Amino acid sequence: MRAALLPDVAAEVAWTADGIAELWHAGHADGTPPTAAVLVRRRSDMDALAAALRDRRVPVEVVGLGGLLSTPEVRDLVSALRVVSDPLAGPAAVRLLTGPRWRLGIADLAALWQRARELVPPRPAAARAAVGRRPGAGALPGEQAEQAGLVDALDDPGGPERYSPAGSTGSGASAASSPSCAPAPRPR
């Protein structure tokens, strides 16, 4: 990965196109042309970059935002960013946990949700009733402080007996809670 702080968009386009062209032509000479993807800030930047790459004899395929967001890798990245910014983003966490890296099954996912509910401290009945009567309850970030989600359950998954053998070993809940874990092997 390379990074640069350049004075303007034209310099960024030239620097990016030069770097990709260098890699492309070096790989093409070896008989294994590389693939590359460039994510631009604005749709208006795509045409200039595509033209610069074509000027350097690099084949280009421009994929619009809709096509890019539908690719599994980008959807996983967006889900990861959602979970990082909002640990209670359940659908994003489910996508990651049931995806190809951890392959968590539905029973283990249900056990994690149960564990998340166990981690929430009980609230007095009066406080629970007051929340139900207030319009917009739970809309402020501080109001979610006493909630737990899948991320909390991954941090404190409880005993292995609540998970399936796969979920409590290398490819499930315990693996997902370990930052040093290797991804589950891909089926061939």
Side-chain angles (χ1 to χ4, degrees):
M1 178 175 188
R2 297 184 224 170
L5 181 59
L6 300 163
D8 55 32
V9 173
E12 286 180 10
V13 166
W15 182 81
T16 303
D18 287 342
I20 292 173
E22 178 184 329
L23 292 171
W24 168 263
H25 294 298
H28 199 284
D30 294 343
T32 56
T35 61
V38 178
L39 183 62
V40 295
R41 286 184 295 250
R42 296 175 303 264
R43 182 179 284 276
S44 61
D45 295 336
M46 290 191 302
D47 292 333
L49 185 55
L53 288 167
R54 287 184 185 111
D55 288 346
R56 290 160 177 81
R57 300 181 339 270
V58 176
V60 175
E61 178 184 355
V62 176
V63 178
L65 184 61
L68 182 63
L69 289 178
S70 66
T71 61
E73 298 85 1
V74 173
R75 292 183 76 176
D76 288 348
L77 176 62
V78 169
S79 293
L81 292 172
R82 282 192 179 130
V83 169
V84 167
S85 68
D86 178 10
L88 297 176
V94 168
R95 175 175 178 80
L96 295 172
L97 292 172
T98 59
R101 181 172 175 95
W102 289 292
R103 300 182 188 161
L104 203 63
I106 194 74
D108 292 320
L109 196 58
L112 273 176
W113 276 119
Q114 179 58 40
R115 179 62 180 156
R117 285 189 293 274
E118 293 169 4
L119 293 172
V120 177
R123 292 179 21 187
R128 287 192 306 270
V131 168
R133 292 189 303 263
R134 287 190 351 232
L140 299 174
E143 293 181 285
Q144 296 179 355
E146 297 302 320
Q147 295 181 16
L150 286 173
V151 172
D152 299 292
L154 288 171
D155 187 46
D156 182 1
E161 67 280 354
R162 63 177 65 222
Y163 304 103
S164 72
S168 62
T169 59
S171 65
S174 65
S177 66
S178 172
S180 62
C181 71
R186 295 186 183 269
R188 302 231 180 240

